[in-house]
Amino acid sequence: MNDQVLYIIDFDVTEGKETDMQQLIEDLMESTSKESGVLNYHWAKNGNIYDSLEHFESSKAAYDHLTNFAENFAERYMSLGTVISTTVYGNPNPAVKEILDGFEAVYKQTIANYSK
């Protein structure tokens, strides 16, 4: 079975903290670019709703990323707004689920997948 993990986090940035959020995203992009097993790390926004799409080749890669995030960025991230939703695709292991559950994750069962 494919061990890839993909999740999308919708985050409501507090008004007036957009500049701080942009700086955090730049710092996250730089840090994540050095991690192994990252297939896609994408940020988008609509108004003050910021989305991150995070795709990893394995639960290990997702866990490593989430651990780095928790140690270096989580406090700053949470000071800038509120998580609206977290949708998870793939087959994350229990350790990854435990972390994502802190973001009130909803898990979608994969019924078909094509990936190179």
Side-chain angles (χ1 to χ4, degrees), residues 44-83:
K45 72 176 204 151
N46 182 3
N48 277 25
I49 306 301
Y50 288 65
D51 298 338
S52 64
L53 182 148
E54 307 181 25
H55 189 187
F56 303 93
E57 69 182 12
S58 66
S59 286
K60 181 187 179 329
Y63 181 82
D64 290 347
H65 171 77
L66 289 164
T67 300
N68 178 50
F69 174 82
E71 291 173 359
N72 298 296
F73 300 102
E75 185 176 333
R76 192 167 143 205
Y77 179 75
M78 294 308 295
S79 75
L80 298 177
T82 306
V83 173

Side-chain angles (χ1 to χ4, degrees), residues 62-63 66-67 69-70 94-104 107:
Y63 181 82
L66 289 164
T67 300
F69 174 82
V96 171
K97 282 185 172 183
E98 183 178 347
I99 296 169
L100 292 175
D101 284 347
F103 293 93
E104 299 184 26
Y107 298 90

Side-chain angles (χ1 to χ4, degrees), residues 6-70:
L6 182 147
Y7 52 86
I8 300 170
I9 300 175
D10 295 331
F11 190 77
D12 185 5
V13 174
T14 303
E15 192 169 327
K17 296 193 176 187
E18 299 86 358
T19 301
D20 293 336
M21 186 64 179
Q22 185 59 45
Q23 182 60 57
L24 174 61
I25 291 169
E26 290 173 21
D27 295 345
L28 283 164
M29 293 296 289
E30 180 181 345
S31 177
T32 303
S33 72
K34 298 173 186 168
E35 297 174 2
S36 63
V38 179
L39 298 175
N40 193 354
Y41 191 67
H42 180 94
W43 283 86
K45 72 176 204 151
N46 182 3
N48 277 25
I49 306 301
Y50 288 65
D51 298 338
S52 64
L53 182 148
E54 307 181 25
H55 189 187
F56 303 93
E57 69 182 12
S58 66
S59 286
K60 181 187 179 329
Y63 181 82
D64 290 347
H65 171 77
L66 289 164
T67 300
N68 178 50
F69 174 82

